[in-house]
Amino acid sequence: MPSVSPESVSAAIRSAPAFARLGLSMRDPHYRERAIEALSLAIVEKLEAPAPVHDANQIPLPL
């Protein structure tokens, strides 16, 4: 399991869908609940994703 740091959690929150972040402040409890589920899913997906492996032998291509 990857280590969890405040930086990794904040990066996961920043990359979550906008409706999940904004939905936390909605008046309707149904929308808030959907936003909580979406935000927690986005955080878990981001934290469980394997770290990208960079091959030193790979030639970088300019964009």
Side-chain angles (χ1 to χ4, degrees):
M1 181 173 163
S3 64
V4 177
S5 68
E7 293 81 17
S8 62
V9 174
S10 63
I13 292 171
R14 273 190 245 105
S15 67
F19 83 89
R21 292 181 281 141
L22 295 175
L24 296 176
S25 62
M26 299 291 277
R27 289 182 183 252
D28 185 353
H30 177 71
Y31 287 126
R32 276 198 315 266
E33 194 62 37
R34 287 180 53 200
I36 289 168
E37 291 173 7
L39 185 60
S40 62
L41 180 63
I43 291 170
V44 169
E45 285 178 354
K46 182 79 171 184
L47 294 179
E48 287 184 347
V53 177
H54 297 287
D55 186 2
N57 295 323
Q58 181 72 34
I59 299 172
L61 298 175
L63 295 179

